[in-house]
Amino acid sequence: MTTISQKTTINATENSIVLCSKNSNFKNYGLSKAEIDYIKNEITKKEKKFVHINQLNRSVFIQITEAKKELYLTLEALRKAASTAHALIVADKIEQIAIVDEENNAAGTLAFAEGLALSNYQFLKYKKDKKKEQYSLKTISIYSKSISKTEIDELNVIVEATCICRTLVNEPVNFLTATQLSKEFQQLGKGAGFRVEVFDKAKIKALKMGGLLAVNRGSIDPPTFSIMEYKPKNAKNKQPIILVGKGVVYDTGGVSLKPTPNSMDMMKCDMAGAAAVGGTIYAIAKAKLPVHVIGLVPATDNRPGGNAYVPGDIITMYNGLTVEMLNADAEGRMILADALAYAQKYKPELVIDLATLTGAAVAAIGTSGIVAMGTADDTTKNQLKESGNLVYERLAEMPFWDDYDEMIKSDIADMKNLGGPHAGAITAGKFLARYIDYPWMHFDIAGPAFLTTKEAYRVKGGTGAGVRLLFNFLKDRTK
Ligand code: BES
Ligand code: MN
Ligand code: ZN
């Protein structure tokens, strides 16, 4: 973890990144007249936005910040610029760097620091020679007259929680079984101060969570159902906000086996929704936001073993509805349905589920955003979209018309777990909608949760998708 700290003086002998405008005089940063002339020439004549001055004992990077059409676009440009700077910083084996906010651009500077810290994430647990591969950068400090210590503390929490989420996603199933995932949540609860309760297989059976049990039948590892709860005394909401995360620790497709290499290779990421829920509640508890949140995570692997559920099976779910199972690879909705039905007992103000649910969501919008749908009111939807823009985890809302309900009708059960050939992300959402009786949003994060090539500060592998979005949303909602 890269730590970000606050500093109150500019030190003209340390590695620095100066965030400034074209008109800056560049006087306070230990640069010679010749260097300043060089910088000015690069910026004005060559229209460069980024200049690197390599002095004998230190580097100075000049980053020009330009306002885009909208604030959120400016912020994202700075996160991305930080990722470019990160490559140079680690190529130079720099360990410590100061970000200097020359323009009193608090939001922009925080975004830049966030981009830099998130770019510095690595998953090296399984490398023998970790030291050799480790990035040099250890600490980031911020000099700014307009950023408070509290804001920096909060940024550290957000970065840490995002990286925790990434690591959970990157862990393979031969370590991260459903049982291990619930242990990780217990660990997070201890670290941040929230309550975690884990239902084991016997309890899940006693509760008759038929969807979770059906998916688990092909596995020799037991399922778990984790409940995380953060309930501060000063909570602004009377009824809890519930986050539900798909915790399929590995998705082989079950008996409807996925082909490898093209679609099974990354299926350790199928618990990214669960990881985002754990990461978000961790961040909320650490930052002590005044909000009562509950996280629900049904978890299992999806395998084609011994007594695996098969097409044709009819399954009775936790709420008593029956499902004609027609594809073992549509397992996410089976386990989420039980969790969503379970959430009803809390009479929640709002429920948001996060799931790597469908390839159709990836086909629709790629890795650029989250496919969203649901029954929450427009104010809530707009708040979510605004948070999505600000943290650049944008929401693409799908239509949720009645037409799609037709597509999951079954002749012999209350519904089937498979839609038609089209609108697969929406029919999956429509399936889930049969298990709710409260305001609800469904986030299909199959695209952005896991990248096979890096996209700036969103590194290759688990990205932590959902954590920054939900933190921002819940913070604003409880202001
Ligand atoms: N876990 C997958 C969805 C997925 C695809 C996640 C790509 C991440 C990247 C999900 O369980 C699945 O297999 N969905 C099927 C549903 C279909 C059988 C109705 C799909 O999208 O093909
Ligand atoms: Mn599947
Ligand atoms: Zn899946």
Side-chain angles (χ1 to χ4, degrees):
M1 244 292 288
T2 330
T3 45
I4 305 165
S5 60
Q6 189 176 35
K7 59 190 289 145
T8 48
T9 51
I10 297 179
N11 176 349
T13 61
E14 71 180 340
N15 299 302
S16 307
I17 301 182
V18 183
L19 302 186
C20 56
S21 76
K22 281 180 193 155
N23 313 319
S24 169
N25 62 27
F26 308 108
K27 285 243 165 74
N28 296 323
Y29 314 115
L31 298 165
S32 72
K33 173 149 190 325
E35 286 166 340
I36 292 178
D37 287 344
Y38 169 76
I39 293 168
K40 285 188 172 159
N41 189 53
E42 292 284 292
I43 292 168
T44 50
K45 298 242 167 61
K46 298 194 193 163
E47 293 187 350
K48 295 232 169 117
K49 305 278 180 293
F50 186 73
V51 186
H52 180 188
I53 301 289
N54 201 345
Q55 296 180 332
L56 197 55
N57 296 314
R58 68 185 285 238
S59 276
V60 179
F61 302 91
I62 304 294
Q63 174 71 54
I64 306 297
T65 65
E66 276 185 327
K68 307 265 178 203
K69 261 189 274 162
E70 304 265 2
L71 170 68
Y72 79 91
L73 296 173
T74 311
L75 299 182
E76 179 62 3
L78 286 166
R79 287 185 203 102
K80 283 193 168 144
S83 143
T84 309
H86 180 262
L88 296 175
I89 288 167
V90 298
D92 261 9
K93 299 266 180 280
I94 289 173
E95 292 183 18
Q96 208 279 331
I97 195 142
I99 300 171
V100 180
D101 173 20
E102 204 195 63
E103 304 272 279
N104 286 322
N105 177 358
T109 303
L110 289 166
F112 189 90
E114 179 178 59
L116 193 60
L118 289 176
S119 299
N120 205 39
Y121 171 83
Q122 288 177 293
F123 182 63
L124 294 175
K125 177 177 165 189
Y126 295 97
K127 291 276 190 183
K128 187 169 179 221
D129 201 350
K130 295 184 186 41
K131 284 221 178 79
K132 202 173 124 212
E133 300 204 28
Q134 194 130 44
Y135 291 145
S136 55
L137 185 62
K138 298 285 175 298
T139 55
I140 299 168
S141 58
I142 297 178
Y143 172 83
S144 170
K145 292 198 182 99
S146 52
I147 295 175
S148 67
K149 170 81 166 43
T150 320
E151 286 171 300
I152 291 178
D153 289 347
E154 188 181 287
L155 180 58
N156 271 310
V157 167
I158 292 167
V159 168
E160 188 194 1
T162 305
C163 293
I164 286 171
C165 176
R166 287 175 173 184
T167 295
L168 286 174
V169 173
N170 289 332
E171 280 287 5
V173 69
N174 66 343
F175 168 75
L176 197 79
T177 58
T179 301
Q180 186 61 36
L181 180 63
S182 62
K183 284 185 186 157
E184 299 287 328
F185 290 145
Q186 283 168 326
Q187 215 47 47
L188 293 180
K190 278 199 191 107
F194 61 85
R195 197 181 66 84
V196 183
E197 187 182 1
V198 179
F199 295 164
D200 62 6
K201 188 171 180 177
K203 175 80 181 178
I204 293 166
K205 271 189 179 160
L207 288 170
K208 298 193 177 140
M209 291 187 164
L212 179 55
L213 289 165
V215 175
N216 183 252
R217 265 171 37 197
S219 174
I220 59 170
D221 291 336
T224 57
F225 189 92
S226 300
I227 302 173
M228 298 169 255
E229 181 167 26
Y230 179 65
K231 190 178 185 182
K233 292 220 167 58
N234 62 348
K236 296 267 166 69
N237 51 332
K238 289 213 175 64
Q239 295 307 121
I241 293 176
I242 301 187
L243 307 176
V244 176
K246 173 177 172 182
V248 173
V249 287
Y250 197 84
D251 184 10
T252 66
V255 293
S256 313
L257 200 64
K258 286 179 189 295
T260 177
N262 52 39
S263 62
M264 204 191 293
D265 289 5
M266 57 185 274
M267 278 306 139
K268 67 174 183 181
C269 82
D270 217 15
M271 35 55 70
V277 169
T280 302
I281 295 179
Y282 179 85
I284 284 166
K286 268 219 143 171
K288 297 194 161 54
L289 295 189
V291 57
H292 179 196
V293 277
I294 293 172
L296 301 178
V297 172
T300 176
D301 47 345
N302 181 27
R303 304 242 194 194
N307 200 26
Y309 76 151
V310 291
D313 277 357
I314 297 176
I315 291 138
T316 303
M317 309 292 277
Y318 174 71
N319 69 351
L321 285 171
T322 57
V323 176
E324 182 185 8
M325 202 294 258
L326 288 173
N327 191 318
D329 202 9
E331 84 297 343
R333 64 199 77 183
M334 302 295 292
I335 72 169
L336 286 169
D338 281 348
L340 290 170
Y342 188 80
Q344 292 182 19
K345 75 168 199 160
Y346 296 100
K347 308 216 175 325
E349 172 182 307
L350 173 68
V351 176
I352 302 174
D353 77 72
L354 294 100
T356 45
L357 201 61
T358 64
V362 194
I365 65 162
T367 58
S368 299
I370 296 172
V371 167
M373 61 203 84
T375 63
D377 58 70
D378 285 343
T379 315
T380 300
K381 284 183 178 174
N382 288 334
Q383 284 170 346
L384 281 163
K385 285 175 191 168
E386 181 156 334
S387 290
N389 283 343
L390 278 174
V391 305
Y392 222 68
E393 295 189 335
R394 292 162 297 174
L395 298 181
E397 190 181 355
M398 295 290 132
F400 215 44
W401 301 316
D402 295 344
D403 314 40
Y404 305 109
D405 293 302
E406 301 299 313
M407 301 179 184
I408 54 168
K409 280 198 169 146
S410 161
D411 293 337
I412 54 170
D414 295 321
M415 73 202 76
K416 54 183 184 171
N417 79 336
L418 196 61
H422 306 306
I426 303 173
T427 49
K430 280 292 186 183
F431 181 98
L432 300 180
R434 300 287 298 273
Y435 298 84
I436 58 150
D437 71 346
Y438 40 65
W440 160 76
M441 289 303 290
H442 162 55
F443 289 172
D444 194 330
I445 58 170
F450 191 90
L451 299 179
T452 50
T453 46
K454 111 186 185 90
E455 294 172 12
Y457 63 92
R458 298 197 298 156
V459 296
K460 190 171 163 174
T463 61
V467 174
R468 293 189 305 119
L469 166 66
L470 290 174
F471 184 88
N472 187 289
F473 167 72
L474 291 170
K475 189 184 156 192
D476 276 1
R477 192 178 169 98
T478 49
K479 239 183 211 148

